[in-house]
Amino acid sequence: MQANDVRALKSAAIPTIAVGLVVVVAAALLAGGAGALGAAIGVALVAVFFTVGLAAVTWAGRVSPQMMMLAAVLGYLVKVIFLMLLLSAFKDATAFSPRALGWSVVLCTITWTAGEIRAFLKLKMLYVDPGTEVPGQGGRT
């Protein structure tokens, strides 16, 4: 990963973990140990899914801009489908609170996305290659 990618990862992961801790504590207070476990599973799912997704998009970006966009869109689609399947499969779980898991996933996903948006808005990236010559401009005739 490049420095910009690490900065984006840290800008998204740190607030997500902080919100995740608050959600785990709130779930523990509201639903006991099962709520805390469900919320912790949700925080872990979001952290793992989005870290892997960011790594895949970063790798694809080194290949080509088109691959980067394809990886981002497919990664989003896979995450949404997998989370929907996971939440529906565990809707009747008794070892942990599915409701706490769901709320944890939603809140941590919003936080991760906001952190990534903030990181990329603050990122200083050149959109023009400074070493290129423009035809018709410059010293040569």
Side-chain angles (χ1 to χ4, degrees), residues 63-110:
V63 174
S64 75
Q66 293 83 8
M67 283 293 292
M68 183 176 178
M69 185 63 181
L70 181 64
V73 171
L74 286 178
Y76 178 76
L77 183 65
V78 167
K79 281 185 265 192
V80 168
I81 290 172
F82 189 75
L83 282 174
M84 285 175 31
L85 291 172
L86 194 66
L87 291 175
S88 66
F90 290 115
K91 67 182 176 189
D92 296 325
T94 56
F96 59 88
S97 170
R99 178 170 282 188
L101 172 72
W103 278 108
S104 176
V105 166
V106 168
L107 293 173
C108 289
T109 298
I110 291 169

Side-chain angles (χ1 to χ4, degrees), residues 128-135 137:
V128 175
D129 187 10
T132 60
E133 292 184 25
V134 178
Q137 305 277 332

